[in-house]
Amino acid sequence: MDRNVRILVTGAGGFIGHHLVRTLKADGYWVRGADCKQTEFEPSPADEFEVLDLRKWEDCLLATRNVDEVYNLAADMGGIGYITAYLADITRNNTLINAHMLEASRVNHVKKFLFSSSACVYAQYKQKSPDVTPLKEEDAHPADPEPGYGWEKLFAEQMCKYYGKDYKLDTRIVRFHNVYGPLGTYEGGKEKAPAAICRKVALAEDGSEIEIWGDGRQTRSFMCVDDCVEGLRRLMASEYREPLNLGTDELISIDDLVDLISGVAGKKLTKIHDHSKPQGVRGRNSDNSRLRQVLGWEPSISLAQGLVPTYRWIEAQVAKRAVQAA
């Protein structure tokens, strides 16, 4: 790969973006990070880090100046509680970000543009059973995505295709399936299930109770952020321009995820299920057939492996907060 390529990572103040910047810099690339906020847990190693509101056209023009490739990871997003509560805000904010970033990349002659989509684009009618059939890329149509977040992601995928057809902008589209790992949001309402459960387990006394949203039988697959970053780089280096799954096909129920994390913590906890809380679709899993075909690769870090450093990091953050509060 050409180390003279200049790269922009939007959403560089967030979880996946920060890990991507770290990897690109370690491999010798010049990187600009852009986000509406600084990184939370450690300084960004980016050559330039600009605090910008990418909902604004002028800020997108500024972010995309003098770069060759764009990883557009910026998004208003969070866990199931957040994305079901703020449908209008999420749809508006992300539509503005994606439309302005695509147009600014065209105007500033960006060579490659990667858009971070989501498994939330998949049709809900295909995800009604915990024992879900793994989702292939074509299962996004006929369309019935998650309200708000899923619809705007699906629309942005189409925009990428239109910019490729009309303006020859070389785009990539990746559909993330539940990314987890250290240095991510673990409290405040925007955290995803693995981080939220790690926090709850860290806070719980051995032998006590833990609250679970829903009945615990809903299923998902989860991907370690290290595999996610590797997949992003491989997709950008490829010639594949259609939407592509990036996730594992290791399906697990939320109850079993709690047990797995409790085992890492060395705790025995009683699960209390809150059926009033949102839980999303009943089952979602990634079909990686096309990922293997296109990239000759797929994520390899098991959930049992990846949760160990993730839990230990969140456990340390929780302990640090407790000391500060005391």
Side-chain angles (χ1 to χ4, degrees):
M1 297 175 68
D2 184 2
R3 296 302 191 275
N4 294 317
V5 168
R6 292 167 62 91
I7 298 174
L8 167 67
V9 177
T10 70
F15 170 46
I16 299 174
H18 178 58
H19 279 273
L20 178 60
V21 169
R22 288 204 312 176
T23 300
L24 291 170
K25 281 305 304 171
D27 285 350
Y29 289 95
W30 187 96
V31 182
R32 176 183 297 138
D35 206 320
C36 62
K37 63 182 179 68
Q38 294 282 353
T39 52
E40 184 174 356
F41 302 109
E42 65 181 26
S44 174
D47 296 278
E48 296 176 0
F49 191 101
E50 298 179 338
V51 177
L52 300 169
D53 184 347
L54 298 176
R55 295 173 299 180
K56 297 179 179 178
W57 164 244
E58 296 81 4
D59 283 11
C60 291
L61 272 180
L62 187 62
T64 53
R65 72 193 187 282
N66 302 321
V67 296
D68 303 297
E69 297 181 357
V70 172
Y71 290 83
N72 187 36
L73 308 184
D76 182 1
M77 56 85 68
I80 189 64
Y82 182 77
I83 66 170
T84 56
Y86 300 100
L87 301 178
D89 286 353
I90 288 171
T91 304
R92 180 192 65 246
N93 290 338
N94 290 344
T95 300
L96 289 170
I97 290 169
N98 297 327
H100 287 154
M101 281 300 303
L102 276 165
E103 178 63 5
S105 295
R106 180 189 73 83
V107 169
N108 280 328
H109 307 291
V110 167
K111 295 182 177 67
K112 286 185 179 180
F113 181 98
L114 183 144
F115 171 62
S116 57
S117 187
S118 167
C120 289
V121 303
Y122 283 113
Q124 294 176 93
Y125 56 79
K126 289 183 176 288
Q127 302 171 78
K128 292 185 177 296
S129 169
D131 187 23
V132 63
T133 300
L135 296 161
K136 298 181 179 181
E137 285 77 4
E138 53 266 30
D139 288 332
H141 298 279
D144 181 28
E146 294 264 4
Y149 185 70
W151 273 109
E152 60 86 5
K153 287 292 188 185
L154 194 59
F155 173 65
E157 289 186 6
Q158 293 301 122
M159 279 202 298
C160 288
K161 293 181 181 181
Y162 300 152
Y163 267 75
K165 179 179 182 294
D166 293 357
Y167 301 120
K168 310 308 177 189
L169 179 60
D170 196 5
T171 60
R172 306 287 184 273
I173 302 168
V174 61
R175 291 176 179 165
F176 290 144
H177 285 253
N178 296 308
V179 185
Y180 70 92
L183 301 174
T185 300
Y186 64 92
E187 62 181 355
K190 287 193 173 184
E191 68 276 14
K192 297 293 187 70
I197 294 169
C198 284
R199 184 195 73 247
K200 290 179 179 181
V201 170
L203 287 168
E205 296 291 336
D206 188 20
S208 65
E209 297 177 344
I210 181 172
E211 180 193 77
I212 307 301
W213 287 14
D215 62 9
R217 294 193 293 273
Q218 66 270 37
T219 56
R220 298 291 186 275
S221 60
F222 299 96
M223 172 176 53
C224 181
V225 68
D226 293 343
D227 275 335
C228 177
V229 168
E230 179 66 17
L232 286 174
R233 298 186 63 201
R234 286 173 179 261
L235 178 57
M236 184 67 101
S238 78
E239 297 300 319
Y240 194 72
R241 295 171 178 84
E242 295 298 317
L244 189 67
N245 280 335
L246 183 53
T248 74
D249 54 8
E250 183 184 356
L251 192 68
I252 188 170
S253 71
I254 297 302
D255 273 353
D256 287 344
L257 178 62
V258 173
D259 291 341
L260 195 55
I261 295 171
S262 298
V264 173
K267 298 179 180 180
K268 292 186 177 180
L269 303 172
T270 300
K271 293 183 280 290
I272 304 299
H273 296 96
D274 186 344
H275 296 263
S276 70
K277 293 292 191 351
Q279 58 180 298
V281 295
R282 291 298 290 159
R284 177 179 291 152
N285 197 9
S286 177
D287 185 315
N288 285 352
S289 302
R290 192 159 301 154
L291 179 67
R292 290 189 292 267
Q293 176 187 351
V294 169
L295 301 184
W297 170 91
E298 66 179 317
S300 60
I301 300 171
S302 71
L303 191 56
Q305 290 174 304
L307 281 175
V308 174
T310 303
Y311 177 77
R312 296 302 177 207
W313 181 81
I314 292 175
E315 180 185 45
Q317 297 301 307
V318 169
K320 185 190 300 182
R321 289 289 179 89
V323 169
Q324 290 171 345

